[in-house]
């Protein structure tokens, strides 16, 4: 049982960083710091979108953007943090 919880903790930590990278990448695209027409950049952005959007979408339906600011990544990060704490408590 402990190995499964450890695996889940690692996967949650990886997803935590994927969410952070997706947020930073969206900022870089919005501020024209990266060329979104570059094939490599486009492929990375599409991957990040495909991995994060299924989790962000339900959060966005519950919590719409406030003054144009999308808070769904923050809610997802808090959810990951909460799940990690629950799993750590279950492990020990």
């Amino acid at each position: 049982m402990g190995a499964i919880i450890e695996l889940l903790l690692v996967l949650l930590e990886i997803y935590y960083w994927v969410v952070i990278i997706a947020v930073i990448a969206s900022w870089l695209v919005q501020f024209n710091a990266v060329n979104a027409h570059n094939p490599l950049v486009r492929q990375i952005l599409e991957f990040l979108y495909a991995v994060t959007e299924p989790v962000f979408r339900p959060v966005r339906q519950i919590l719409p953007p406030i003054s144009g600011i999308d808070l769904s990544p923050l809610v997802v990060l808090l959810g990951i943090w909460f799940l990690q704490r629950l799993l750590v408590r279950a492990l020990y």
Side-chain angles (χ1 to χ4, degrees), residues 20-41:
I20 290 175
I21 291 168
V23 168
I24 292 171
S26 72
W27 291 345
L28 291 174
V29 169
Q30 289 298 322
F31 294 125
N32 291 324
V34 295
N35 183 5
H37 299 294
N38 182 331
L40 178 61
V41 174

Side-chain angles (χ1 to χ4, degrees), residues 2-77:
I4 294 172
I5 292 176
E6 288 289 334
L7 177 64
L8 289 173
L9 286 170
V10 169
L11 291 174
L12 284 171
E13 187 69 24
I14 291 170
Y15 196 75
Y16 177 87
W17 286 105
V18 167
V19 169
I20 290 175
I21 291 168
V23 168
I24 292 171
S26 72
W27 291 345
L28 291 174
V29 169
Q30 289 298 322
F31 294 125
N32 291 324
V34 295
N35 183 5
H37 299 294
N38 182 331
L40 178 61
V41 174
R42 173 60 62 193
Q43 191 173 19
I44 292 170
L45 292 173
E46 287 175 358
F47 169 77
L48 291 172
Y49 182 82
V51 171
T52 58
E53 189 58 29
V55 178
F56 289 168
R57 190 177 306 118
V59 176
R60 284 187 188 121
Q61 289 175 351
I62 296 169
L63 182 69
I66 298 171
S67 298
I69 298 174
D70 182 16
L71 297 177
S72 60
L74 179 63
V75 172
V76 169
L77 290 176

